[in-house]
Amino acid sequence: MKLSHFQFNLPKELLAEFPAENRDESRLMVIDRKKQTIEHKTFKDVIDYFDEGDVLILNNTKVFPARLYGNKEKTGARIEVFLLRELNAEQRLWDVLVDPARKIRIGNKLYFGDDDSLVAEVIDNTTSRGRTLRFLYDGSYEEFRNKLTELGETPIPKYISRDVTPEDADRYQTIYAKEEGAVAAPTAGLHFSKHLLKKLEIKGVKFAEVTLHVGLGTFNPVEVEDLSKHKMDSEELKITQEACDVVNDAKAKRKRICAVGTTSMRAIESSVSSQRTLNPFDGWTNKFIFPPHDFSVATCMITNFHTPKSTLLMMISAFCGHDLMKKAYEEAIKEEYKFYSYGDAMLII
């Protein structure tokens, strides 16, 4: 398959600026691959598709307030700094993106906070917008991290044209988020409310948690027509033995196994044994899933509606079947489903 197969016209007004009022009341499109049918539901109806012993695989990564605004020394120019990943805790080195980047050179200092209580020095260039920063801060490591949290804001996606609100700190986070390290939310999980998870639990549905720290690489545009030439950024992944036991037990009993989101799907597909069971994993993955792909673990998945030419759309095509996916997306546009991070959801069975 080629990049051009994933182009479609997405009306700008279908990009969700705000989440649904209640998490579990966003819309849900249900796609049955066997019957080739499309149904329209509300997200909380998802419970009707799962029975006792079925498993939901959740990505429990937690988004940290990764977007900071600082001022350049001497000129005072306002610079956006997006924290990507910590390189060295002791030396307080971070991999970041800066905007506007052309003004930021090695040796420059950036000042953060009204009282300039945090300073960073640019020590390396990584990509056109990428820099390595060394933060200069007198307090302990814990105080330094608290300072980052205090000065940072929720990294809602750039396509959202409004300012960040206090509600975003809560809503751009799954209710089961535990392990801090993501710069973007695993958005399929945003639709689960505490109430819905409790109802699933009472029904006997089991949960397996994995941790994939979502980086901005997930959203990097694909710029090569031949998909096999695209390289994904690496993201940190952890799958415990406990999660494997839950998933493999359900697989042995032929229960439904549902990957909640493209990140959960990428996580489990990154660590599969020759017997097609899930293995523990602790490291980094740059797995890129595009058609054709033979999925080993999940029998269904929950996902949001993705943008044209995105790696996420390519994974959905591989799982759903390209023609059915195209039909579903045409229907979603016609029915005015909301797309992207704060948008509506899709269940593929």
Side-chain angles (χ1 to χ4, degrees):
M1 299 219 78
K2 296 187 163 58
L3 178 62
S4 45
H5 291 134
F6 297 92
Q7 174 57 18
F8 64 93
N9 290 324
L10 177 60
K12 203 162 188 287
E13 63 271 17
L14 295 187
L15 289 169
E17 288 274 320
F18 291 93
E21 192 174 339
N22 297 310
R23 285 180 185 268
D24 57 13
E25 287 179 358
S26 54
R27 295 166 73 191
L28 177 71
M29 179 185 279
V30 181
I31 299 176
D32 188 317
R33 293 177 292 171
K34 204 170 171 185
K35 296 179 186 163
Q36 297 278 299
T37 55
I38 296 171
E39 291 182 284
H40 304 287
K41 305 276 186 176
T42 300
F43 191 79
K44 56 189 173 191
D45 297 329
V46 84
I47 194 166
D48 299 334
Y49 296 88
F50 296 98
D51 295 312
E52 188 175 348
D54 291 342
V55 172
L56 293 179
I57 300 173
L58 309 174
N59 182 7
N60 67 10
T61 187
K62 189 174 185 181
V63 181
F64 66 94
R67 192 173 275 131
L68 302 170
Y69 292 96
N71 297 95
K72 192 179 167 189
E73 65 177 334
K74 295 184 183 149
T75 67
R78 182 172 145 105
I79 306 293
E80 179 189 309
V81 173
F82 196 102
L83 303 172
L84 291 176
R85 60 174 71 106
E86 187 174 50
L87 300 174
N88 185 309
E90 203 179 320
Q91 295 182 37
R92 294 176 190 170
L93 294 182
W94 281 77
D95 200 2
V96 306
L97 294 177
V98 292
D99 190 24
R102 59 195 162 77
K103 297 178 177 177
I104 304 301
R105 299 187 173 89
I106 294 170
N108 285 161
K109 283 201 171 93
L110 301 171
Y111 293 85
F112 302 91
D114 296 337
D115 55 355
D116 295 343
S117 56
L118 183 64
V119 182
E121 184 180 2
V122 181
I123 62 167
D124 201 5
N125 295 332
T126 51
T127 60
S128 58
R129 286 179 57 215
R131 301 289 185 272
T132 302
L133 295 189
R134 177 186 285 118
F135 284 96
L136 312 170
Y137 187 76
D138 288 339
S140 67
Y141 178 73
E142 193 180 346
E143 289 168 329
F144 164 64
R145 288 303 298 245
N146 288 341
K147 179 56 77 173
L148 285 184
T149 301
E150 177 198 318
L151 294 173
E153 69 175 33
T154 304
I156 60 172
K158 279 283 197 189
Y159 81 86
I160 295 177
S161 53
R162 60 176 174 80
D163 288 339
V164 174
T165 67
E167 288 75 42
D168 287 313
D170 173 52
R171 292 301 303 272
Y172 195 63
Q173 196 82 271
T174 64
I175 57 164
Y176 46 79
K178 288 190 191 82
E179 305 293 336
E180 192 170 84
V183 298
T187 53
L190 297 180
H191 303 285
F192 285 94
S193 63
K194 283 194 173 103
H195 184 62
L196 179 57
L197 279 183
K198 195 72 197 163
K199 282 173 75 176
L200 283 159
E201 194 184 322
I202 290 165
K203 198 171 179 181
V205 175
K206 294 180 177 171
F207 305 103
E209 294 188 6
V210 298
T211 307
L212 180 81
H213 291 317
V214 191
L216 285 185
T218 296
F219 310 105
N220 279 352
V222 179
E223 291 171 337
V224 285
E225 184 66 8
D226 178 356
L227 300 186
S228 65
K229 302 267 194 303
H230 178 69
K231 295 282 181 285
M232 291 287 280
D233 279 4
S234 289
E235 294 171 323
E236 200 173 352
L237 168 63
K238 187 165 189 174
I239 303 173
T240 62
Q241 184 63 56
E242 183 187 2
C244 295
D245 292 344
V246 172
V247 170
N248 293 335
D249 181 54
K251 193 169 163 65
K253 292 173 179 165
R254 297 188 173 277
K255 296 292 184 183
R256 183 165 271 180
I257 298 169
C258 182
V260 176
T262 55
T263 62
S264 295
M265 183 68 89
R266 203 154 86 256
I268 59 178
E269 285 294 308
S270 296
S271 190
V272 176
S273 74
S274 53
Q275 281 80 42
R276 298 167 74 83
T277 55
L278 187 60
N279 280 344
F281 189 96
D282 191 350
W284 296 76
T285 178
N286 62 353
K287 184 90 176 164
F288 174 33
I289 298 173
F290 61 95
H293 182 83
D294 183 17
F295 291 83
S296 301
V297 179
T299 59
C300 65
M301 79 179 292
I302 293 168
T303 187
N304 279 23
F305 289 90
H306 306 294
T307 47
K309 295 185 174 179
S310 62
T311 59
L312 311 173
L313 184 64
M314 291 161 192
M315 181 193 291
I316 302 313
S317 163
F319 190 75
C320 184
H322 192 70
D323 291 342
L324 185 56
M325 183 272 290
K326 274 183 74 173
K327 187 177 156 196
Y329 268 62
E330 282 163 15
E331 179 98 350
I333 290 168
K334 190 174 111 222
E335 295 294 329
E336 298 188 345
Y337 274 74
K338 290 291 188 187
F339 277 64
Y340 219 30
S341 301
Y342 273 153
D344 294 312
M346 175 189 274
L347 168 66
I348 308 168
I349 57 175

